Amino acid sequence: MNTATTAIAATSAATIAATSAATADARREADVPEQMQAVVGEQYGTADVLEVRTVEVPTPAADEVLVRVAAAGVDRGVWHLMTGLPYAVRLAGYGIRRPKQPILGLDLAGTVVATGADVTDFTVGDEVYGIGNGTFADYAVAKATKLAHRPDHITAEQAATLAISGGTATQALFDIGAAEAGQRVLVLGASGGVGSFVVQLAHAHGLHVTGVASAAKADYVTELGADVVLDYRTDDFTDEQPFDLIIDIGGRNRVSKLRSALTRTGTLVIVGGEDGGKVTGGTGRQLRAMLRSPFVSQRMTTFVSDETAAKRTALHELVADGRITAPVDRTYPLDRAADALHDLEVGNLRGKAVITIGGRS
Ligand SMILES: NC(=O)c1ccc[n+]([C@@H]2O[C@H](COP(=O)([O-])OP(=O)(O)OC[C@H]3O[C@@H](n4cnc5c(N)ncnc54)[C@H](OP(=O)(O)O)[C@@H]3O)[C@@H](O)[C@H]2O)c1
């Protein structure tokens, strides 16, 4: 190689290096630190096992983004992953003896600060919400497919309730339950994270809504739009006129009792429930309903929610239009995440708890 060729080659190499550095910069905000604060549970257990610790900021994979978290929703799924209960959760790949992901949190809202090589829908600086991995932290990674852009007039706190609870509610009612205006729907667990969305969505869609919750939260369920509110301790929903659709989110009732409250061709959608023991939890009931369904006139089913953002478009628009309210009950700073989980466990919440981080929401 002669001198001129060497000089050209050196210039080209310098240009390529500068270009790739600029591309890398565009993909990562300059002031992302190496370490952050996060809520960590190294062992399965109650909220007492949690600690706020300094840990490494994660690096997004090719299909992920790194989000500076402003708000993180608290839901039953986080509680299951914290406690490792029912044991079926551990067998589902989350870690047999201890959690594989020690940082808690799934729902998030925040700002994109870095993008993986294959991500095209988001750039640094975008405000997003959705489902991530270890979101009770200053920074969290999330798959781009599980994120959506956050509309300006939805706050980060509100957006942090939408993906898991709101997305599950939408799917239960419309995709799985095939709800239609004019139908009678029974919502068991109407005052909780998922239920507070189901009641609002069903009311907005023109269904007649009967909500079941504890007596202390009856007013709240009425405010959400329920036509009738029943107390699960004292009222019997089988005394009501039969329902076209039952969305069972928090119920402990036997499948046979649920069937007896349905019309002859009604639909039962079991979303969850916290009864059933340490091994399978509420899932035994769900399995029994599905096995029975082909042999009866009613349709009985369950589902695992699809976490991709595309499943939430309709809900997102209803919230942006103000027709549905994100049900934020209480907010907690990062160092009080354990209190939020405790309040969820003992039933202190109307709707949802949200962790707010770094004063960014
Ligand atoms: N299938 C899926 O993909 C999926 C997705 C999300 C959640 N889930 C499951 O859905 C369930 C609820 O989640 P969540 O986040 O909404 O929980 P949550 O916020 O804790 O709400 C639980 C609800 O259940 C009610 N409840 C308690 N005991 C009841 C009873 N005996 N009868 C009727 N209602 C009763 C509570 O009422 P009070 O507070 O008034 O006592 C509350 O409304 C959990 O089991 C969760 O794992 C499943």
Side-chain angles (χ1 to χ4, degrees):
M1 198 184 287
N2 63 29
T3 314
T5 319
T6 308
I8 290 166
T11 311
S12 309
T15 310
I16 290 165
T19 309
S20 56
T23 310
D25 283 350
R27 289 191 161 274
R28 189 175 179 94
E29 197 181 78
D31 64 353
V32 177
E34 302 213 332
Q35 294 192 317
M36 64 177 189
Q37 297 293 293
V39 177
V40 176
E42 293 284 2
Q43 306 290 334
Y44 289 124
T46 61
D48 305 334
V49 303
L50 303 180
E51 288 175 16
V52 177
R53 282 210 206 143
T54 302
V55 298
E56 299 292 305
V57 171
T59 302
D63 60 346
E64 291 178 334
V65 305
L66 180 67
V67 177
R68 185 189 298 117
V69 184
V74 180
D75 70 278
R76 275 281 164 187
V78 173
W79 183 89
H80 289 299
L81 295 178
M82 176 183 78
T83 56
L85 295 173
Y87 296 131
V89 166
R90 306 183 190 203
L91 296 172
Y94 292 99
I96 300 289
R97 289 182 183 280
R98 59 181 62 87
K100 281 187 188 164
Q101 163 57 289
I103 303 175
L104 264 69
L106 299 167
D107 255 316
L108 64 71
T111 313
V112 173
V113 294
T115 56
D118 297 345
V119 174
T120 52
D121 295 345
F122 300 99
T123 55
V124 169
D126 285 355
E127 292 297 328
V128 295
Y129 78 92
I131 299 173
N133 195 1
T135 62
F136 294 181
D138 290 323
Y139 295 86
V141 289
K143 288 210 181 298
T145 51
K146 296 188 179 185
L147 295 178
H149 289 96
R150 172 166 69 88
D152 287 344
H153 48 291
I154 301 179
T155 66
E157 282 172 19
Q158 293 166 335
T161 69
L162 299 183
I164 292 181
S165 299
T168 302
T170 313
Q171 288 169 57
L173 198 58
F174 300 121
D175 299 349
I176 313 294
E180 286 176 15
Q183 286 184 328
R184 287 173 52 76
V185 61
L186 176 70
V187 184
L188 292 150
S191 56
V194 178
S196 51
F197 278 106
V198 171
V199 172
Q200 291 188 78
L201 286 164
H203 173 70
H205 202 67
L207 282 88
H208 179 280
V209 184
T210 300
V212 180
S214 56
K217 299 180 192 172
D219 289 350
Y220 174 63
V221 177
T222 303
E223 279 167 31
L224 293 170
D227 300 282
V228 176
V229 182
L230 303 177
D231 173 359
Y232 56 70
R233 291 195 181 88
T234 55
D235 298 322
D236 186 347
F237 57 80
T238 60
D239 291 342
E240 305 294 306
Q241 268 181 51
F243 296 95
D244 303 294
L245 177 61
I246 299 178
I247 307 288
D248 187 352
I249 307 153
R252 272 81 168 154
N253 297 284
R254 295 173 69 89
V255 172
S256 54
K257 179 170 176 179
L258 294 166
R259 275 193 66 205
S260 70
L262 277 176
T263 59
R264 205 181 59 79
T265 55
T267 297
L268 166 64
V269 180
I270 303 185
V271 178
E274 295 301 318
D275 224 2
K278 286 189 169 180
V279 179
T280 56
T283 53
R285 217 168 52 113
Q286 300 177 10
L287 206 63
R288 280 194 293 283
M290 285 185 73
L291 291 173
R292 192 85 200 276
S293 189
F295 305 102
V296 298
S297 59
Q298 296 140 331
R299 185 166 73 94
M300 301 192 288
T301 187
T302 187
F303 69 106
V304 175
S305 66
D306 179 341
E307 298 185 340
T308 52
K311 281 283 166 194
R312 283 176 257 130
T313 315
L315 173 72
H316 172 123
E317 282 166 10
L318 288 170
V319 175
D321 288 354
R323 279 181 285 165
I324 298 289
T325 304
V328 180
D329 182 10
R330 299 181 195 182
T331 62
Y332 304 72
L334 196 62
D335 60 2
R336 288 194 50 226
D339 293 341
L341 280 150
H342 172 76
D343 285 344
L344 174 85
E345 180 174 355
V346 301
N348 277 347
L349 302 169
R350 288 165 169 71
K352 301 272 304 176
V354 175
I355 311 291
T356 53
I357 298 157
R360 299 179 197 123
S361 60

